[in-house]
Amino acid sequence: MTEVAGARGIAAAEGAAGRAGSGEGAGARLPLLDVLRGVAILGTLMSNIWIFAAPGAEWGVLTGGAGPAAGSDWSSPAGVAETVFRGLANGKFLAMLTILFGVGLAIQFRSAAKHGQPWPGQYKWRALFLFAEGTVHFVLVFAWDVLMGYAVVAMLVAWLLTRSARAQRATWITMGVLHLTATTLMTVAVVLTSGDESGGSGGGQGGADADAGAVTLYAEGSYAQQILFRLSHAAVLRMEPVISFALLVFLFLLGVRLFRAGAFQDDAAGRRIRRRLAGWGLGIGLPLNAFTLLWGSGFFLLERYLAAPVLAIGYLGLIGMAMDRLRRPDPQPSTLTSAVTVALTSVGRTALSCYVLQNVLAMLACYGLGLGLASHWADRGPWWVMGLWATICLVLVTGASLWLRRFEHGPLETLQKRLLRR
């Protein structure tokens, strides 16, 4: 029924999603969406940085020794800081990014409908391009890439947007129920088998050897060896989009519903929705996340795939409320507050470039093919990891701000746009 001119993955969620599709020509940008995307990109790194910095890196996620949900430690200040840092980020900003992707898709759909273009039309080629882009990112940079999963889900949701509102709502509810059921059953299975000493990612001596080999690979192996490792273990390393498929569809459709309800508009209705999102999301999400953290690593699936999306909704509302306050003429925001807002907006407008660059920088900093900090500083506690996250964020903010002074789009966004035009 309708077609969009620019389905460009995160770039589309960043370019088109920054514009309101409610009726003004090309549409005025929605500043809140740029800020939210900037927060989501930097927050995603807040989770992923622990993967890069841990022994075994990308493979260590599967053994419980790496990643953003590697357990909690309340016995020391460093342990408390790490637990809180991980807990605030794990899965929350990824869920936020997924919702915003759905918002971008809804805006593109509405814009294309206004111009009478067929849908999905050429969108399928753009989604295929995104899938290829994610594949390259997976092979060359980071095993836990999100672009491939987004491309597949985007095609399904793009088709759903041509169905009736009743069909969309039924799909949304069905996916939510399926995800809740599957996550609960998997958590029960993990808890019941957690006492099995022979468990783990590989099981027995073979699993131990594989884990030790992964630690050596990322500490001392060459870039070509790491690429071959990802390719040879692709089925396992690509399992997250599979087990979270229903959640991704649910969050995409949630983004569509929020946009259509006016949740991101700068008006009374939008502010009212944002207050509700903050109230319900934080009111339910904070206790739920605290419960999963306190009850240990056996509940990591509930934390990442159930509690995290709920809290992400609260984050959306809370950030929106903060932006509403900053837009008030009296009192004027401080210089620091304005600078932070501009910085987040810059990252949001170059989201695809920043997403890829942050993973490249983390890889070069942590793996043996670069500075090798993960092995050299393995016994220095969590502070250097959090410092590395802050340093990369500063690089991204500075780079995005300087780039946008001369160019309209980020480097990868520009490249993608030109290739798709051809």
Side-chain angles (χ1 to χ4, degrees):
M1 290 188 179
T2 51
E3 202 256 85
V4 78
R8 298 188 288 273
I10 289 180
E14 142 199 331
R19 302 183 180 277
S22 55
E24 292 126 20
R29 292 195 69 88
L30 295 174
L32 175 58
L33 288 178
D34 288 326
V35 172
L36 287 172
R37 280 191 303 274
V39 173
I41 291 296
L42 300 182
T44 300
L45 177 63
M46 194 175 174
S47 289
N48 291 342
I49 194 67
W50 300 99
I51 300 176
F52 290 102
E58 299 160 316
W59 187 257
V61 177
L62 305 175
T63 68
S72 56
D73 177 14
W74 306 98
S75 60
S76 66
V80 171
E82 178 180 351
T83 299
V84 172
F85 191 94
R86 289 174 180 256
L88 290 174
N90 180 30
K92 285 76 174 177
F93 297 102
L94 180 60
M96 182 188 298
L97 192 63
T98 308
I99 293 171
L100 294 173
F101 203 108
V103 173
L105 194 56
I107 294 176
Q108 294 171 67
F109 178 88
R110 178 176 292 187
S111 174
K114 177 183 175 182
H115 293 89
Q117 297 172 325
W119 181 275
Q122 295 184 5
Y123 184 85
K124 57 182 176 291
W125 299 111
R126 302 180 189 281
L128 181 61
F129 184 91
L130 175 64
F131 186 87
E133 196 170 39
T135 302
V136 172
H137 186 242
F138 163 78
V139 174
L140 300 182
V141 181
F142 189 46
W144 298 94
D145 165 80
V146 301
L147 301 178
M148 297 170 69
Y150 280 3
V152 175
V153 174
M155 275 306 304
L156 173 60
V157 176
W159 173 79
L160 282 172
L161 293 183
T162 67
R163 306 296 95 186
S164 65
R166 181 178 181 181
Q168 294 176 37
R169 186 172 185 272
T171 303
W172 183 58
I173 294 174
T174 300
M175 289 298 176
V177 172
L178 284 176
H179 175 68
L180 176 61
T181 303
T183 304
T184 302
L185 291 177
M186 287 189 294
T187 299
V188 171
V190 169
V191 172
L192 291 179
T193 60
S194 60
D196 184 1
E197 295 297 330
S198 63
S201 64
Q205 184 61 40
D209 292 341
D211 297 342
V215 172
T216 302
L217 171 68
Y218 285 99
E220 304 173 6
S222 67
Y223 183 48
Q225 289 174 323
Q226 292 178 14
I227 291 176
L228 290 175
F229 182 83
R230 293 191 196 101
L231 291 173
S232 61
H233 295 81
V236 177
L237 293 172
R238 289 283 74 203
M239 70 177 182
E240 183 173 50
V242 177
I243 65 176
S244 64
F245 180 79
L247 174 63
L248 293 177
V249 176
F250 178 86
L251 293 177
F252 264 65
L253 290 173
L254 176 60
V256 172
R257 293 172 66 89
L258 287 175
F259 171 73
R260 291 176 173 174
F264 306 99
Q265 297 289 343
D266 184 18
D267 55 23
R271 290 189 287 272
R272 182 170 60 252
I273 294 174
R274 290 190 283 274
R275 287 195 296 269
R276 291 177 178 175
L277 291 176
W280 285 101
L282 297 176
I284 298 176
L286 285 175
L288 192 57
N289 276 269
F291 169 81
T292 56
L293 279 174
L294 292 174
W295 279 85
S297 59
F299 290 83
F300 73 92
L301 289 173
L302 279 181
E303 180 195 0
R304 183 168 178 82
Y305 301 118
L306 185 60
V310 175
L311 191 53
I313 294 172
Y315 284 2
L316 282 173
L318 184 62
I319 296 169
M321 290 175 61
M323 286 292 292
D324 292 337
R325 185 174 181 84
L326 291 178
R327 281 194 290 259
R328 295 177 183 175
D330 187 27
Q332 289 291 335
S334 66
T335 302
L336 176 60
T337 302
S338 299
V340 170
T341 302
V342 171
L344 292 174
T345 299
S346 299
V347 174
R349 290 180 57 193
T350 57
L352 178 60
S353 299
C354 287
Y355 171 71
V356 174
L357 179 59
Q358 68 186 21
N359 292 331
V360 171
L361 293 176
M363 176 183 70
L364 294 177
C366 294
Y367 295 172
L369 59 89
L371 298 179
L373 299 183
S375 59
H376 297 328
W377 291 355
D379 58 349
R380 296 194 179 187
W383 302 111
W384 76 268
V385 183
M386 291 182 276
L388 177 61
W389 169 77
T391 301
I392 294 177
C393 287
L394 181 60
V395 172
L396 295 177
V397 166
T398 304
S401 300
L402 292 176
W403 182 273
L404 290 177
R405 289 183 181 180
R406 297 193 59 184
F407 305 98
E408 184 179 359
H409 305 289
L412 289 184
E413 287 82 356
T414 301
L415 174 63
Q416 190 180 58
K417 184 176 181 180
R418 290 178 179 176
L419 289 177
L420 288 175
R421 280 179 176 175
R422 294 184 178 181

